[in-house]
Each structure stands twice: as structure tokens, then as C-alpha cells.
Amino acid sequence: MSGNPALKNYITYSNTDAGRAVYDNFLNRVTARFPGHIKEIQGIADGAGIPFYQLFLVHMSNELEAILNLTSVQSCSDIFLSSASQCLLGHNEDADPIVDSTGYMVSVNITDSDLKENFTAYHYPGHIAGLAFGFNQWGLVATMNGLYPVEVAFNGIPRQFINRALLSATSYSDVYRILTEGNVAYGFSVNFGFADGPDALGLWNIEIAPNYTAAALSPILSIQKLNLDHYYHFNVYDRLTVSEREGDSVSSQHRKQRAEQLPVPTDATGIQTILGDSGDAEYPIYRVPSTTDDAATVAIVVFDLVKKVAVVFRDNPKSASPVFRFDLSRPSQSSSMSTMHPSSSSMTVLILLVSSLFTSIM
């Protein structure tokens, strides 16, 4: 969502009494629960020379799009495969086409907090991690699907901060704790598994919906664990009954219908074939901007929890070679988490990129 012209709408709204109240409410809630995430946003803002409030508004984008009834990009398709010999999770990251040339992978090692963190994740410029896909030192692999309820829960935390927190999860029970320690302001689905640890080779999908009860202390969840089966998830609720924004479901319904028409995947190649499919010309699974669908598939990842590897593609995974291959082994068993380690100079380039993107849309 970086480079999104909607930022102008967010800023205009934040200058109204109602918008300022929403901003202050969410800022206070996030600061109380996730002060480290606030520091991360402040660091990006300082490095890029961008006002903090603009970056925080971007991290409220899902909630603001619903409040302002703005069109959003339905993002992402996920495929699970669990069998006697396979444990795979594949994901298409769909976004505004500008992200195709501005998104990036970063390996992160945080040592200055009570909770030590070491993870690798796909980032959108201007955003903290968690919005797309990633993995951590505990063997967690995780991808996100945006879900689009009609209403926002103002007694919750904006969903991107919950997404970021999940990158610290050490086990299934820790994922559940993070999701239920407080209400969420907006909907999403997390697809995850573990390549190591007590929950190794487990795969789960959890749909999360805001709890609109005034005194709600946690959101509404629907949990599905894969057991020798395959499963698809897109940008609509599959199991929870939630009033959803009607215009945000068209692509997802098409992608879901098309996936179910294709042969059931039996290995990583089968998953890549589905993720690269363009058989539905109007709303394909592998997305290229068109007159009917203005989103783009900007990155593809396939996690293999048996082989403990992740491969990332920039182009159609049916025919392209991966641009990165990551080792999912825990750092205690390996000297590094991945083959990619951004240098200080590359991080400077990323900060300048964030600054130029925000300047271009103001």
C-alpha cells in the first residue's frame, strides 16, 4: 500500500475531529500493547524524513479504507498441502503494481528488547513487517490474507500490528496467545506452520474477525488444522459468518472457483502451477494489471516444512526460477537464517525509496 494515493484521503480524514479521534484511539492502544512497533515506525519515519503520523496512518490503512469506503486491493492466494510425505504452504502476494518494483526482503535481528527476535520477511516500503509473509528463528512460517468486514472495531488494535507480532511466535499456543490477548480492529486470516520445534510439520489457517461487543477482550476466531489434506484460502471468510464489503470479494470468488477446477496439488510443483495460473482471464490467480483487475502478483513464496526451505519468486512460478532460497533451520542449528543479509548501504537505499514514494503522492 506504499505509494497509495489513498494516503491523501487518510491525511484529510485525520484532520477532522472524527478522524483525529480514531487516530488517537488507535495510537494509544498500539503504544500500550506494542511500544516496540511504535519505535520501528518512528525509526522509519526519522530515516526517511517523513512525519510519524503519516506512517502511522499507513499502518491503519485497512481500517481507514473501511471507514472511508475506499476501494482496496484484494490481496493474496494461499495453498496448503499436508500428506504423508509433504508439508507445504504456498502464497501469492498481490498488491498495488507499484510494490512490484519497491517491495523487498529483510532479515531482522532485534537484540534490544525483552523478547529477542530474529525473522526474515517481505516488506512493503514504509511498513513494518508482517503484512505479507515471513519466517522466524523458531521455525514459524506465516502468510497473511486480508479479509474485509463492513465494520471496524474501534476497541481493537489495527490488524497490521497483530500481523507484525505474529513474527515473534514460538509455537501454536503462542500464535493463539498473540491473537487473543486483545481485540483486533479489522479482519484477516493467518496461514502458518512450523518447520521445527514441538509443532513441527503442523499447518493451520485461522480466520480472525473483530468482536464488536463493546467490552470485547479478544476477537472471534475460526481455527482449521490441516490433516493429510489440501486447502485453499483467499480474501473472503471461508468459515466465519461476517458481513463483508461486497466489492472486495469478486476477485477472491473467481480465484477460489478457478483453484477448485484445477488438479489437486501433490507437491511443490503442483502448488506453483496453481499459483501461476491465469486461466480466468478476468480475475486470474496469478495477477497482472488489467481492465478488470488492477492488482499485481508481486512475490510468490513456497514453504517446504519437510525440507526446511523457502523459495521466493518474482515472476510466474510455473516457469520462472526462484530469486531467493532460504534455509528455515533454526539459528541455533545454523550460522544464518538465509542467504540474504542487507548491508547498511542497502538499508539506506530502502529508506530513501520510502521517502521518494511518499513525496511522489503528496
Side-chain angles (χ1 to χ4, degrees), residues 147-207:
L147 297 176
Y148 302 96
V150 172
E151 299 292 337
V152 172
F154 296 102
N155 62 345
I157 298 284
R159 61 154 279 207
Q160 190 171 347
F161 295 97
I162 306 297
N163 298 165
R164 166 65 183 85
L166 289 169
L167 288 171
S168 69
T170 62
S171 63
Y172 166 79
S173 60
D174 204 26
V175 170
Y176 185 83
R177 175 191 62 79
I178 291 167
L179 292 175
T180 57
E181 276 189 339
N183 197 16
V184 65
Y186 207 59
F188 66 95
S189 167
V190 55
N191 315 288
F192 69 99
F194 287 87
D196 213 335
D199 295 311
L201 305 187
L203 285 173
W204 291 265
N205 167 266
I206 302 182
E207 293 183 338

Side-chain angles (χ1 to χ4, degrees), residues 26-27 41 58 61 74 145-146 164 179 195 232 263 305 315 336 339:
F26 285 144
L27 178 60
I41 295 175
V58 168
S61 58
Q74 299 175 47
N145 299 132
R164 166 65 183 85
L179 292 175
Y232 307 125
L305 304 189
D315 298 306
S336 66
T339 59

Side-chain angles (χ1 to χ4, degrees), residues 12-25:
T12 299
Y13 178 64
S14 72
N15 287 327
T16 67
D17 290 343
R20 186 68 195 188
V22 170
Y23 176 92
D24 289 343
N25 169 60

Side-chain angles (χ1 to χ4, degrees), residues 138-141 193-197 199-201 304-306 308 328-329:
W138 302 106
L140 169 80
V141 305
F194 287 87
D196 213 335
D199 295 311
L201 305 187
D304 188 325
L305 304 189
V306 174
K308 297 185 180 181
L328 299 178
S329 299

Side-chain angles (χ1 to χ4, degrees), residues 33-76:
R33 184 173 173 190
F34 299 119
H37 299 176
I38 294 296
K39 290 180 181 179
E40 290 180 30
I41 295 175
Q42 186 67 64
I44 297 172
D46 291 346
I50 298 167
F52 170 88
Y53 85 93
Q54 290 186 13
L55 281 186
F56 191 81
L57 286 171
V58 168
H59 286 78
M60 295 165 49
S61 58
N62 295 106
E63 291 76 16
L64 290 174
E65 285 168 0
I67 292 168
L68 300 175
N69 196 27
L70 300 175
T71 301
S72 61
V73 173
Q74 299 175 47
S75 51
C76 310

